[in-house]
Amino acid sequence: MTSPAAAQDTAEAPDRREVNALSPRAVLTYDGGLMTVDTGTGEVTSTEAEGFLRLNNAGDGRHVLVSAGQEFRLFDSGLIVDGHGDHHHYYKQAPALTGSGVEAAEAGHVVAHEGRTSLFADGTGTITVLDSAAFSDGKITADEVEEHSADAAHHGVAVPLSSGDLLLTQGTEESRHTIQVLSPRGEVLAETADCPGVHGEAAAMPTPEGDVISLGCENGPVIYRNGAFHKVPVAEAYQRSGNQAGSHGSPIVLADYKSDPDAEQERPTRIGLIDTRTNSMTTVDLGSAYWFRSLARGMAGEAMVLTGDGELNILDEETGQIIHEVKVVEPWEEPKEWQSPAPAVKVGADGFAYVTEPAAKKLHVVDVAAGTVLSSFDLPETPVELTVVTGDAEASGHAHKG
């Protein structure tokens, strides 16, 4: 944990000003730092930062957690919603790294779910969980966090459940195949060991009994529902859905669909639609390849996939039928190194889709319902990662991709 005294208190920055409404801000990484795009004015603010950076919404609608090597660094987007009973006030200020963060050996996945946020340190298996509203003062202090730990260090993930329990992966650096749900006292409430290569999770529409979480494996996905794990049968001996996107308002989870265990770099054209009610999965062949930054969900639950032909495919997640094919970027191909720039898509709480086009140094905004490109912004640097904040707290069941 970084020292609170060293943190910049961005909650009361000198340039803070009240506005009548907030425009979403897109936060992007580039080689050398972070860019923040005000989608209302087109203004771009750059923040220098070293190393390869990954972006995760903190869950409060304002802050972003930056996975930066041995630390999760707290970034303030500068969008502020101040509630006063039956109304709100809105403020804007310059985006900035707050100087606060959480120390983490090999900072990995962040999951915001049901008002709590978990941070997973791959190098130790340490899991930090805190209330998503704890970031509001721009600082993270020791008394605001609860610490958990997996049995061993591994590339893992943890989901704080609405019941107060914690879903987490177990494994080692060499292999991982186990998922558990632990009570606050550390008791194992549910467990499955039938998830080789477990990677990626997404929350779907909850049942009256509680949360529904889907996780990717290398022999078909696993679903946690009604207090137990359920395996999704697949036709192939090897089937990996390690990148998933969920929606709190839909029982369907969108997933990638890889089926070639020998491929050095598989570029699938099929996607999976996992029905968490029936523990089943259907596939849709889009005819063009995609990659792990291609998946997103609309506010009405639509499944979205950005494919190499430059189109944002918007599908009815229940039927798999394509609603819109929106030409957004020029044709592209997945790079050999996953850290390299290539198009990415995110959906903000405003319901619009945001798509990067690194080759042209652009950010595009798509009206999902209409299936049209609303606007495009020029960027001073080549974007890599992308996230979008709107001032509104993270909706339950947003995607986690890895």
Side-chain angles (χ1 to χ4, degrees), residues 131 206 255 263 344 350-351:
D131 191 298
D350 58 346

Side-chain angles (χ1 to χ4, degrees), residues 10-371:
T10 56
E12 294 292 344
D15 66 329
R16 177 171 166 165
R17 63 195 184 280
E18 187 167 6
V19 294
N20 63 356
L22 295 177
S23 299
R25 286 183 171 178
V27 183
L28 309 100
T29 65
Y30 65 93
D31 185 9
L34 304 163
M35 294 181 288
T36 305
V37 181
D38 186 316
T39 61
T41 65
E43 179 183 4
V44 180
T45 304
S46 296
T47 305
E48 292 185 1
E50 295 181 354
F52 180 72
L53 309 174
R54 304 209 66 189
L55 300 178
N56 319 271
N57 279 12
D60 65 349
R62 172 180 174 180
H63 292 91
V64 173
L65 285 162
V66 183
S67 301
Q70 306 306 304
E71 182 184 20
F72 292 100
R73 305 179 68 183
L74 187 61
F75 181 80
D76 187 350
S77 73
L79 296 184
I80 304 142
V81 178
D82 191 4
H84 290 277
D86 61 350
H87 68 285
H88 295 83
H89 290 265
Y90 305 99
Y91 301 89
K92 287 170 45 172
Q93 62 192 40
L97 285 164
T98 69
S100 187
V102 174
E103 294 178 1
E106 299 177 31
H109 289 319
V110 174
V111 177
H113 182 67
E114 297 291 354
R116 294 198 297 162
T117 304
S118 70
L119 295 71
F120 200 101
D122 290 351
T124 58
T126 301
I127 301 160
T128 301
V129 180
L130 63 166
D131 191 298
S132 300
F135 306 104
S136 61
D137 60 359
K139 303 173 185 177
I140 305 171
T141 58
D143 61 351
E144 293 176 312
V145 308
E146 58 183 69
E147 296 284 354
H148 304 268
S149 183
D151 294 340
H154 67 284
H155 182 56
V157 69
V159 184
L161 302 177
S162 57
S163 60
D165 302 325
L166 184 69
L167 183 150
L168 74 160
T169 58
Q170 297 282 10
T172 66
E173 293 181 359
E174 289 74 36
S175 97
R176 54 188 190 274
H177 51 73
T178 299
I179 312 164
Q180 295 177 332
V181 173
L182 302 182
S183 74
R185 292 190 298 250
E187 303 165 306
V188 178
L189 303 178
E191 180 179 276
T192 179
D194 190 14
C195 191
V198 55
H199 191 282
E201 58 73 34
M205 177 188 289
T207 69
E209 287 73 31
D211 303 303
V212 175
I213 309 294
S214 174
L215 299 105
C217 316
E218 293 178 354
N219 62 348
V222 159
I223 296 166
Y224 175 72
R225 186 187 70 251
N226 297 345
F229 288 101
H230 309 269
K231 193 67 179 175
V232 177
V234 292
E236 303 91 346
Y238 173 89
Q239 193 286 307
R240 186 179 190 274
S241 294
N243 303 285
Q244 303 192 4
S247 169
H248 186 69
S250 171
I252 308 299
V253 170
L254 168 66
D256 60 351
Y257 200 97
K258 293 184 176 180
S259 56
D260 184 355
D262 300 319
E264 183 176 340
Q265 186 175 30
E266 187 174 359
R267 293 190 172 104
T269 61
R270 286 189 297 168
I271 52 98
L273 297 172
I274 304 167
D275 192 328
T276 63
R277 299 164 298 190
T278 59
N279 311 321
S280 61
M281 178 163 55
T282 59
T283 63
V284 178
D285 196 325
L286 299 174
S288 182
Y290 58 90
W291 76 324
F292 77 99
R293 293 194 178 108
S294 291
L295 309 181
R297 297 299 293 273
M299 295 302 289
E302 306 97 328
M304 283 182 276
V305 186
L306 182 66
T307 44
D309 55 9
E311 293 184 345
L312 181 63
N313 300 266
I314 303 172
L315 294 83
D316 181 301
E317 80 281 11
E318 291 274 2
T319 66
Q321 293 184 335
I322 293 179
I323 304 170
H324 298 295
E325 293 175 302
V326 188
K327 179 66 176 177
V328 185
V329 301
E330 291 301 311
W332 58 279
E333 187 175 79
E334 178 183 356
K336 290 185 178 180
E337 300 294 336
W338 67 267
Q339 298 93 336
S340 300
V345 57
K346 289 284 185 179
V347 174
D350 58 346
F352 294 144
Y354 296 80
V355 179
T356 61
E357 187 172 11
K361 293 185 179 180
K362 286 185 179 293
L363 173 70
H364 306 285
V365 184
V366 177
D367 184 326
V368 174

